[in-house]
Amino acid sequence: MMSDNSLHVYSALDYAHTGMCVVDNEYNVIFWNKRLVEWTLITKEKIACKNITLFCPALKEKRNTIRLNEIFKGGPPVIFSSQIHKHLFPAPLANGEFRIQHVTVSAIPSQDGTHHHALFAVEDVTELTLRMSELDKARHEAEAANRSKSDFLANMSHEIRTPMNGILGMCHILMTSGLTEDQINYACMIDRSAKTLLNIINDILDFSKIEAGKMNLIPIPFDLRRIVEDVVQMLSFASEKKGLRLFFEYPEAIERFFIADDGRVRQILINIVNNAVKFTEKGSVSIHVSSTPSDNGTELINLIVKDTGIGIAEEIQPILFKKFNQVDSSSTRKFQGTGLGLAISRQFTRLMGGEITLKSQLGCGSEFTIQLQLPKANPDQIKQLIDVENNPIPFEGKTESFDVRVLLAEDNQINQAVASHILEQLHCQVEVVENGQEAVDILQLKHFDIVFMDCQMPVLDGYSATRTIRDFEQSINQHIPIIAMTAHAIEGDREKCIDSGMDDYISKPIDIHKLLLIMKKYCSHRKKHYSVMVQPSVLIADDDMVTLTELEQTITNLFPNSTIKKASDGVEACMLLGNIRPDIFICDILIPNMDGEAVISYMRRNIQFEKTKIIVITALPGTDPTVNRVQRMGVTEVVFKPIENVKFNEILLNAVKSKNSEPHIDLNDPILPSELSIDYRGLVESSLHGIGIFQNNKFTFSNASLSKIFNKTVDSILNVNISDLYANVVETDITKLEKLLKTKSTKQSTTERDIIQFKSTHHDSVFIDMYSCIIQHKNNIARLVLTTDVSDWMNNKNHNFSNKIVSNDKQLVPKIINQRTEQPKITLHDIPDSIVAVDDLIERLGADEQFATELLIKFSETLPNELNTLQTALDKHECSKIEITAHRIKGAARNLSICGLMETMDVIEHAGRALNITTISEVFSEAKSQADAFISIIKKLPSP
Ligand code: ADP
């Protein structure tokens, strides 16, 4: 019950705008003011002397009783904040919700002074809370908008910096391209404007990054004195121009080596000193360094920048560090700037736990103090820094020379041109790749001293490429300097680059001085033998000397230690293939004597060249059936002329590491004579060996020698059916022939070989060594038939013939069985040089005398037929046939070093082209005697 006395004491509380009540230590209500009556609708009478927890159950909660008990003991006031205890008192609003209450409880002494009561002061903060939450929401929205603005700016700056690189770089190239004086002035103006624009962009970028919370610092050991010196050196030109004295004091006793983000320290100092120079017309600008050591291995560094310039009015000083603030912001300002420099400098200093302060008076100069608490570098770090410093290289960029191999990974062509140009000015050997993957690939193959890596590239970006490179370096215990070279400025560019394993960072637009510093830092000690070198052996076959030389050059550039062999026609290529197993075979399709298709076909059927990568180059259109056929033979790549260098490099690199594609034809198949180019078909047609294709129970191709065996003309053999063919074979051998011509065959027995006896009216019998194999011809299964007349050998010598398939090691057709008559034997070296330049030939064949003998014999056997063809053509005055035949003989003679014959055939070929029959007739007799001399001497060679 509320006593009168109490009423008297507490009645004043009825006038309070705040809800108030007094509760004794047993939670009984002693007083309940009017405000609470209004709010809770609980009358004084109803609640008097009642336990308050009946009406305010939350006060029964333990966490609350603990606090209230302290009050009853006379403890300090407690607050039941509106955020946690929103509705402590049952105070409904008109809308049915409860008032949000802020409750303060204080201890007041009881009237007898023996104990304490609790005085509750209840404030209605409903309105206030709602207002605050609205404000909070608005603040969040504003912050989000600001962040997205900063994000936008950061992104935009990146977009702007990329083309700026192009502008500045191209301008630089332009300036060194022999311009007139006027033009140089214009170019300088572009350069100056572009640089100013770039500074603005950089400032905006830095600021927006700080605001977007994306600016992380990368602390590394650095030389503070060096930074001070550099800044003075950088600004000395500007200060000298104004007649200012610019100097610094860095007392010997002060530590030089600290750990911090050196780039940012440099940037802060440049901003402040640059301003000092800018706003000082006469007198001096000085930097004074002082320090106070602390116990924890750090030092408090003061960099005091003092000028005798225009000074800054006191009232303006506090706002100067806010962004976009300048003392004179009228549009006709005398001094350029964005008003961001000081703001950025302060932000950076604060990010490093420091501060920038200013002392200035209008008209009396300014003194900016940059205060930084920096950890000291340890002795190892100091030693490393001193080592770098001890290798000074003079600063003048143009006279610098770095004999280093630089890999530049950059996808933008303009940027490629700019960076290459600058690097080439420093006498570096620059190689450009277009994406990270190419960089990774080439580094595994070639030695480079340094890599400049763009970050944003197609296929594989610079970060991932660097990670891959660092991974493979671990296994070979190497480390190539990789320098990020990027306009990428969004998510903490520098830190991201370093995180991915890059050593340093150079931002675009690239400037020769920045690049020079990097080169000095990383290339003063050249690391040799960096990469695992690949030394591929390469065979190039092309009759065009220019292409041949170009290809050779390209390969040497890419693989300096490669072995390159060159062939000017297919036969020469095949000869070389007798001795080398190239890693890469580069071949033109249309080459003389034996075309590229035939050579490839041969290689693809020969297990020894299984691993050889074949790159076909051709001027034929992609739609040409030959190209299609070659592609199906499992070549690595078909390159169309004109050859594009960058692309070709890529193909070569791929060829070194890739696997061969699977050929779409059976590799046991032989060449397809009817589909070969004219040169090769000529050889087939004039061959002493029978060559034919048997398909659908008929020959669909036959040369003259084959048709002769069956006693038919070429035309008729193509139309007769199989029974007519058997008619000429001795009966016992018909089954052998059937087997040889059977097109249904399992893969294991695609090749057949046997000696078949033919009936003949002229001789007792004709023995034919017949070889056949399954081929795919015009999309159908067929058999290629190759024959050699071995009658002499069978009749005279009666050798045992082993029915064994001869390996195709050094020949395109089955080995020819010696059919020559007994002759006194000579050696290769007995052949006069006037007939065959034997030494030359042997050298070219890699000292394989046996192979040389085989080839000479083979040619001596085909030569009479060739001469017959020539004679017939001459008789008929068929000049084009004369030209082709002479060209063919010439090619073979050249390959075999049969020099005299080669020269005469050359004359005949040219005379054929000039339709000059008289010359042909004159020279032909000489050719015949040369051929006779050749054939007769070759006959004396022992069969190999
Ligand atoms: P700005 O890019 O305009 O130089 P800053 O943030 O670096 O931007 O400087 C803001 C302004 O502070 C300047 O425009 C100039 O008015 C004033 N200020 C800065 N340094 C000095 C100085 N050493 N002497 C006089 N005024 C200065």
Side-chain angles (χ1 to χ4, degrees):
M1 186 53 114
M2 231 176 287
S3 70
D4 283 343
N5 207 1
S6 307
L7 263 177
H8 173 72
V9 174
Y10 302 119
S11 58
L13 300 180
D14 271 334
Y15 299 98
H17 190 67
T18 311
M20 292 185 130
C21 67
V22 181
V23 175
D24 71 14
N25 57 357
E26 286 174 347
Y27 289 74
N28 294 324
V29 177
I30 297 173
F31 184 78
W32 191 257
N33 84 343
K34 272 191 187 161
R35 195 44 140 190
L36 279 181
V37 173
E38 281 167 28
W39 285 349
T40 60
L41 306 176
I42 302 168
T43 59
K44 292 182 185 235
E45 291 72 27
K46 195 174 174 189
I47 201 167
C49 299
K50 298 269 168 49
N51 194 303
I52 193 168
T53 58
L54 291 173
F55 302 92
C56 309
L59 289 176
K60 258 196 311 199
E61 286 168 19
K62 201 170 172 199
R63 57 185 180 145
N64 295 334
T65 55
I66 290 172
R67 300 170 79 195
L68 287 173
N69 286 343
E70 291 300 310
I71 295 286
F72 294 129
K73 285 180 201 158
V78 287
I79 293 169
F80 295 91
S81 84
S82 61
Q83 275 148 17
I84 307 166
H85 314 271
K86 271 188 181 161
H87 317 118
L88 217 50
F89 286 76
L93 290 161
N95 64 6
E97 286 183 9
F98 285 89
R99 252 168 256 277
I100 301 170
Q101 302 147 20
H102 183 86
V103 180
T104 316
V105 190
S106 336
I108 50 169
S110 62
Q111 289 204 309
D112 56 12
T114 55
H115 54 279
H116 289 89
H117 298 320
L119 171 66
F120 286 76
V122 186
E123 263 175 293
D124 178 359
V125 292
T126 315
E127 280 285 301
L128 191 70
T129 310
L130 288 177
R131 182 86 47 85
M132 268 170 56
S133 80
E134 272 165 19
L135 282 174
D136 219 34
K137 203 171 141 217
R139 183 171 58 89
H140 274 112
E141 279 171 5
E143 278 174 3
N146 193 36
R147 260 198 309 278
S148 57
K149 179 206 73 188
S150 301
D151 279 353
F152 170 76
L153 279 176
N155 291 339
M156 270 315 285
S157 308
H158 160 246
E159 295 304 325
I160 300 165
R161 276 157 66 119
T162 306
M164 282 304 291
N165 187 38
I167 296 174
L168 276 166
M170 281 302 169
C171 191
H172 184 83
I173 293 175
L174 194 68
M175 281 196 253
T176 54
S177 66
L179 302 181
T180 65
E181 206 172 311
D182 273 353
Q183 287 167 333
I184 289 179
N185 281 338
Y186 301 146
C188 284
M189 278 194 287
I190 299 176
D191 186 65
R192 267 202 304 279
S193 310
K195 279 184 179 149
T196 310
L197 181 56
L198 188 68
N199 281 336
I200 297 171
I201 295 165
N202 284 343
D203 276 359
I204 294 174
L205 174 65
D206 276 347
F207 208 87
S208 36
K209 277 175 77 186
I210 295 172
E211 290 215 322
K214 286 177 175 170
M215 180 63 78
N216 295 321
L217 302 179
I218 305 171
I220 53 160
F222 75 105
D223 180 352
L224 180 63
R225 191 190 161 100
R226 185 65 193 263
I227 288 185
V228 177
E229 281 171 6
D230 282 354
V231 172
V232 169
Q233 189 176 23
M234 261 183 248
L235 295 168
S236 57
F237 180 73
S239 55
E240 272 165 31
K241 226 164 77 176
K242 292 176 94 175
L244 298 177
R245 199 171 149 245
L246 172 64
F247 64 97
F248 73 92
E249 284 173 336
Y250 199 114
E252 282 292 315
I254 295 182
E255 180 63 61
R256 284 174 60 170
F257 303 101
F258 297 97
I259 296 174
D261 189 321
D262 61 333
R264 298 311 180 186
V265 174
R266 187 183 292 263
Q267 189 178 349
I268 297 165
L269 196 62
I270 291 173
N271 271 340
I272 305 289
V273 181
N274 190 35
N275 276 345
V277 173
K278 197 157 72 172
F279 297 105
T280 305
E281 288 312 315
K282 59 173 195 273
S284 64
V285 173
S286 65
I287 307 168
H288 179 80
V289 186
S290 66
S291 83
T292 324
S294 335
D295 299 337
N296 57 359
T298 65
E299 284 205 21
L300 185 68
I301 300 288
N302 286 318
L303 296 156
I304 302 161
V305 181
K306 214 169 168 175
D307 66 63
T308 55
I310 58 174
I312 304 161
E314 215 162 315
E315 63 276 16
I316 295 170
Q317 291 177 19
I319 61 156
L320 276 188
F321 291 95
K322 298 202 169 120
K323 63 181 163 172
F324 304 117
N325 268 321
Q326 293 165 320
V327 175
D328 174 8
S329 53
S330 68
S331 55
T332 53
R333 280 186 305 119
K334 182 172 162 196
F335 305 103
Q336 288 188 335
T338 55
L340 275 173
L342 287 179
I344 291 171
S345 300
R346 173 169 273 179
Q347 295 273 22
F348 278 140
T349 317
R350 285 183 174 170
L351 278 176
M352 288 189 235
E355 187 54 281
I356 300 187
T357 51
L358 164 65
K359 275 194 241 161
S360 182
Q361 250 188 326
L362 199 59
C364 300
S366 312
E367 184 182 301
F368 284 86
T369 302
I370 307 157
Q371 200 167 62
L372 296 166
Q373 185 89 42
L374 299 180
K376 289 193 278 189
N378 68 33
D380 279 351
Q381 293 165 332
I382 295 174
K383 188 178 172 297
Q384 266 187 3
L385 287 167
I386 292 174
D387 282 350
V388 175
E389 299 238 327
N390 281 347
N391 289 294
I393 299 166
F395 195 74
E396 241 330 289
K398 287 179 201 115
T399 59
E400 298 283 354
S401 179
F402 293 90
D403 181 22
V404 291
R405 292 178 65 94
V406 178
L407 178 64
L408 174 67
E410 164 71 67
D411 61 321
N412 181 306
Q413 284 186 353
I414 296 184
N415 292 344
Q416 281 175 4
V418 171
S420 307
H421 182 84
I422 298 179
L423 285 162
E424 274 156 14
Q425 279 201 330
L426 298 174
H427 304 110
C428 303
Q429 295 169 51
V430 188
E431 217 160 295
V432 182
V433 290
E434 305 218 333
N435 61 52
Q437 188 56 51
E438 287 177 14
V440 171
D441 293 345
I442 201 169
L443 278 171
Q444 298 190 49
L445 302 168
K446 289 182 72 179
H447 160 71
F448 287 94
D449 299 291
I450 188 165
V451 182
F452 286 93
M453 180 89 80
D454 184 18
C455 290
Q456 282 179 312
M457 286 183 286
V459 188
L460 189 68
D461 67 23
Y463 309 113
S464 315
T466 306
R467 272 183 223 110
T468 313
I469 294 164
R470 293 300 180 228
D471 279 352
F472 82 69
E473 279 184 333
Q474 276 192 342
S475 61
I476 50 170
N477 201 18
Q478 298 275 9
H479 184 98
I480 189 166
I482 301 179
I483 314 300
M485 194 180 57
T486 176
H488 188 53
I490 321 164
E491 305 151 70
D493 38 17
R494 245 163 53 116
E495 23 307 47
K496 207 170 158 192
C497 295
I498 306 287
D499 280 354
S500 68
M502 298 181 190
D503 297 79
D504 221 316
Y505 170 94
I506 179 167
S507 66
K508 289 182 194 165
I510 291 149
D511 147 330
I512 192 160
H513 294 285
K514 284 190 219 159
L515 202 86
L516 190 59
L517 286 173
I518 291 281
M519 291 302 288
K520 281 182 193 174
K521 190 165 168 189
Y522 293 94
C523 294
S524 31
H525 305 101
R526 256 184 71 186
K527 285 178 193 159
K528 284 190 180 138
H529 311 301
Y530 161 73
S531 63
V532 186
M533 301 281 284
V534 170
Q535 305 170 2
S537 63
V538 186
L539 172 62
I540 318 170
D542 200 324
D543 58 337
D544 172 9
M545 286 316 288
V546 179
T547 314
L548 208 59
T549 318
E550 268 173 13
L551 289 174
E552 189 181 13
Q553 192 57 46
T554 310
I555 296 163
T556 320
N557 284 346
L558 201 58
F559 310 111
N561 296 328
S562 55
T563 331
I564 302 174
K565 295 257 184 233
K566 293 174 286 180
S568 54
D569 67 21
V571 172
E572 197 181 350
C574 280
M575 284 177 175
L576 290 167
L577 286 170
N579 288 296
I580 55 166
R581 307 281 166 270
D583 297 314
I584 303 175
F585 175 53
I586 303 171
C587 177
D588 192 346
I589 296 185
L590 295 182
I591 44 174
N593 292 331
M594 180 189 284
D595 68 11
E597 186 183 2
V599 183
I600 294 165
S601 171
Y602 159 63
M603 289 177 76
R604 280 292 169 252
R605 283 164 181 78
N606 196 323
I607 190 106
Q608 298 172 79
F609 304 113
E610 193 186 36
K611 293 210 167 83
T612 302
K613 307 289 162 42
I614 300 179
I615 300 172
V616 174
I617 45 178
T618 181
L620 292 172
T623 48
D624 191 288
T626 322
V627 174
N628 189 271
R629 279 199 307 274
V630 165
Q631 271 164 335
R632 284 191 289 123
M633 284 185 201
V635 300
T636 313
E637 193 76 46
V638 177
V639 183
F640 296 94
K641 286 183 182 175
I643 302 167
E644 201 191 303
N645 226 344
V646 177
K647 181 99 203 328
F648 196 68
N649 277 352
E650 191 184 315
I651 289 169
L652 282 171
L653 285 170
N654 282 339
V656 169
K657 64 180 180 117
S658 71
K659 279 183 151 184
N660 275 323
S661 61
E662 285 296 316
H664 292 222
I665 55 165
D666 185 343
L667 287 186
N668 289 319
D669 297 346
I671 47 183
L672 313 178
S674 65
E675 290 179 347
L676 300 179
S677 72
I678 291 293
D679 273 350
Y680 192 68
R681 195 148 59 224
L683 272 180
V684 169
E685 277 162 5
S686 59
S687 174
L688 281 178
H689 304 284
I691 302 174
I693 291 176
F694 190 78
Q695 189 173 22
N696 295 333
N697 268 346
K698 274 182 185 168
F699 275 104
T700 53
F701 171 83
S702 167
N703 71 350
S705 301
L706 185 76
S707 62
K708 237 185 259 163
I709 296 169
F710 289 97
N711 205 14
K712 305 259 180 269
T713 63
V714 171
D715 284 346
S716 65
I717 196 173
L718 300 185
N719 295 316
V720 299
N721 59 34
I722 195 148
S723 53
D724 282 343
L725 295 177
Y726 295 153
N728 202 32
V729 178
V730 296
E731 247 161 69
T732 47
D733 282 1
I734 288 180
T735 36
K736 287 194 207 165
L737 185 63
E738 276 175 345
K739 206 170 162 206
L740 270 152
L741 297 179
K742 202 157 72 185
T743 42
K744 281 199 195 84
S745 170
T746 60
K747 213 173 176 221
Q748 285 76 18
S749 60
T750 50
T751 56
E752 297 291 343
R753 186 173 181 181
D754 223 324
I755 292 183
I756 297 181
Q757 199 177 349
F758 283 78
K759 297 171 191 162
S760 167
T761 42
H762 312 296
H763 304 86
D764 297 339
S765 328
V766 176
F767 288 94
I768 300 294
D769 172 14
M770 202 176 261
Y771 165 92
S772 83
C773 59
I774 295 280
I775 60 166
Q776 192 167 1
H777 180 57
K778 300 205 161 92
N779 290 332
N780 273 312
I781 295 294
R783 252 187 200 277
L784 177 86
V785 179
L786 302 170
T787 70
T788 305
D789 187 336
V790 292
S791 309
D792 288 352
W793 187 76
M794 289 296 282
N795 292 331
N796 300 336
K797 296 202 174 166
N798 210 13
H799 274 201
N800 274 338
F801 178 71
S802 69
N803 188 7
K804 211 169 79 186
I805 294 156
V806 177
S807 94
N808 254 3
D809 190 30
K810 284 173 185 166
Q811 49 194 123
L812 292 172
V813 290
K815 206 171 230 172
I816 297 154
I817 295 158
N818 186 12
Q819 348 161 5
R820 292 164 307 124
T821 49
E822 286 297 323
Q823 293 275 345
K825 299 293 175 228
I826 59 162
T827 73
L828 262 190
H829 299 281
D830 297 325
I831 301 174
D833 257 13
S834 55
I835 299 176
V836 181
V838 174
D839 290 345
D840 192 52
L841 174 65
I842 292 174
E843 194 192 324
R844 230 162 353 103
L845 296 181
D848 190 340
E849 293 194 15
Q850 188 183 327
F851 188 38
T853 311
E854 251 176 57
L855 289 171
L856 288 171
I857 291 173
K858 212 183 280 182
F859 182 62
S860 73
E861 286 165 349
T862 55
L863 190 55
N865 224 14
E866 288 282 48
L867 291 174
N868 281 344
T869 314
L870 205 54
Q871 180 70 68
T872 318
L874 181 59
D875 294 344
K876 293 183 184 169
H877 289 200
E878 290 174 342
C879 285
S880 68
K881 195 161 188 185
I882 294 171
E883 185 192 342
I884 293 172
T885 316
H887 175 83
R888 201 163 53 226
I889 302 172
K890 181 183 86 175
R894 182 176 58 196
N895 285 316
L896 296 172
S897 304
I898 312 164
C899 307
L901 187 64
M902 182 191 87
E903 279 159 22
T904 1
M905 284 300 153
D906 187 53
V907 177
I908 294 174
E909 183 192 349
H910 280 91
R913 196 173 306 146
L915 310 176
N916 188 342
I917 293 290
T918 327
T919 311
I920 299 170
S921 310
E922 276 167 25
V923 183
F924 188 54
S925 54
E926 190 190 338
K928 272 203 292 201
S929 50
Q930 282 169 332
D932 284 347
F934 170 74
I935 293 168
S936 67
I937 196 130
I938 295 301
K939 274 193 178 154
K940 292 182 189 160
L941 285 174
S943 55

